[in-house]
Amino acid sequence: MTVLITGATGLIGQEIVKKCHAEGINVHYLTTSKSKLDTEPNYKGFYWDPDNNEIDHHCFEGVTKIINMVGATISKRWTDSYKKIILESRTKTAQLLQDTIKKHSYKIDQVVSASAIGIYPTSLINYYEEDNTEISETFLGKVVHEWEAAVDDFRPLGANVAKIRIGLVLAEDGGALPEIVKPMKFGAGAAFGSGKQWQSWIHVEDLAALFVFAIQNNFEGVYNGVAPNPVNNNELTKSAASVLNKPLILPNIPKFAMKLVLGEMHILLFESQRVSSQKVEGEGFGFKYANLRPALQDLLG
């Protein structure tokens, strides 16, 4: 099997490539950086420039499945101009892939795309499964809704489409975790707001394994990419401090303070989504890190 991966050089993409190679799956990948082009027997890079509608269509040769991970980071101040980049980096790239497949009559059997649990409205009491139809009215809710709609447009081309709604990704060298623990290392760690907001998290290794499992088992539809045991922000903060053997002596950081520092992006710290993993488990996927503490010990130990 040969799979085309967009976003293969990013935090999660790199883990997916490793997992593909461990499973004997060949990887083609798209990159906007010519310096990142590589050609090996099981790993071949192709250049694209979505801003200018450019793509090397040979990336699709021999490919039957696509893992779509492309998208500008949301962990950057949300100016009006950057909001546009966040949205278009997800929707315009899907359109470019679809137009290229159509133009050159490539046959793609399945597309597995990243999505996000930010589509679910914030709630301290709801337990979100994939059949929930409510959509968050936040900027993130709008982005995910339009992103998923753009990905669904692979269906008329004959592909099965699966969307994996990703939670808080825990990784050693990127994402939110290094930022969460940075102040703790100086004895300045604290939870945010009430600390009661739910954090549906997943270890990056499990997330990569889930994407590969999805292509191996021909997933179709919406799936939550979260570990089975979400925690609230207080628990996350206390567990990280405990693993680092650091005290937590400061009061919780109020919402208004983070709004001053981060602007609209502060909602990333205060939104609450308790999300179910039962559907992927029902498909036979097993988590290596089902509980928070072992995940943190692996990443921070």
Side-chain angles (χ1 to χ4, degrees):
M1 185 197 297
T2 299
V3 61
L4 173 66
I5 302 179
T6 68
T9 58
L11 175 72
I12 303 165
Q14 289 179 58
E15 285 292 325
I16 293 173
V17 170
K18 276 189 223 167
K19 186 68 180 167
C20 282
H21 286 161
E23 295 287 317
I25 298 168
N26 294 324
V27 172
H28 286 186
Y29 67 96
L30 286 162
T31 176
T32 58
S33 171
K34 288 182 179 175
S35 65
K36 290 182 179 177
L37 290 173
D38 203 354
T39 301
E40 295 172 27
N42 59 357
Y43 186 62
K44 189 171 183 183
F46 299 85
Y47 179 72
W48 73 336
D49 179 2
D51 289 338
N52 292 304
N53 243 29
E54 288 178 35
I55 184 170
D56 180 351
H57 76 86
H58 299 292
C59 65
F60 291 107
E61 289 177 356
V63 166
T64 55
K65 307 204 177 216
I66 297 171
I67 293 179
N68 181 44
M69 304 299 300
V70 70
T73 179
I74 57 168
S75 301
K76 192 171 161 181
R77 186 173 274 271
W78 296 353
T79 60
D80 286 345
S81 59
Y82 192 65
K83 278 181 171 182
K84 190 179 176 197
I85 290 169
I86 288 172
L87 180 59
E88 291 187 351
S89 66
R90 288 159 171 80
T91 56
K92 281 195 165 181
T93 48
Q95 183 73 58
L96 178 55
L97 293 171
Q98 290 153 9
D99 290 346
T100 309
I101 290 167
K102 209 182 298 181
K103 181 180 176 183
H104 297 277
S105 301
Y106 287 109
K107 176 73 178 83
I108 303 297
D109 296 332
Q110 185 195 24
V111 177
V112 179
S113 180
S115 180
I117 65 169
I119 197 168
Y120 299 124
T122 186
S123 172
L124 295 176
I125 57 171
N126 289 348
Y127 186 45
Y128 289 116
E129 295 184 336
E130 290 84 348
D131 59 1
N132 174 77
T133 55
E134 284 181 276
I135 294 169
S136 170
E137 293 180 3
T138 63
F139 167 66
L140 275 190
K142 178 191 174 210
V143 166
V144 180
H145 184 54
E146 293 192 28
W147 186 10
E148 290 193 356
V151 171
D152 282 338
D153 287 339
F154 282 101
R155 283 204 183 102
L157 303 178
N160 286 346
V161 173
K163 294 160 286 192
I164 296 181
R165 291 176 175 167
I166 301 171
L168 175 68
V169 180
L170 300 182
E172 186 177 359
D173 297 321
L177 187 61
E179 300 305 314
I180 290 168
V181 302
K182 197 183 289 178
M184 291 178 187
K185 292 177 177 177
F186 301 100
F192 293 102
S194 70
K196 293 176 183 175
Q197 65 272 32
W198 288 100
Q199 316 254 224
S200 295
W201 58 275
I202 187 166
H203 190 296
V204 68
E205 206 177 303
D206 277 335
L207 183 59
L210 177 57
F211 271 90
V212 175
F213 188 85
I215 61 169
Q216 290 173 323
N217 292 275
N218 209 33
F219 276 20
E220 188 171 10
V222 176
Y223 297 83
N224 291 326
V226 294
N229 297 294
V231 296
N232 66 31
N233 186 255
N234 279 330
E235 291 174 79
L236 176 64
T237 308
K238 284 177 185 170
S239 294
S242 170
V243 169
L244 291 169
N245 204 22
K246 295 290 182 183
L248 282 178
I249 52 175
L250 295 180
N252 288 15
I253 300 166
K255 195 170 185 176
F256 76 85
M258 294 314 298
K259 190 170 184 178
L260 285 173
V261 174
L262 299 174
E264 191 181 352
M265 191 179 84
H266 79 286
I267 69 162
L268 292 174
L269 306 171
F270 296 93
E271 289 278 284
S272 174
Q273 287 110 355
R274 186 166 58 125
V275 177
S276 168
S277 64
Q278 287 177 358
K279 188 174 177 182
V280 295
E281 291 178 279
E283 295 282 0
F285 181 75
F287 287 86
K288 184 176 178 183
Y289 299 99
N291 293 291
L292 180 64
R293 191 173 180 89
L296 292 176
Q297 284 170 331
D298 177 67
L299 297 166
L300 302 175

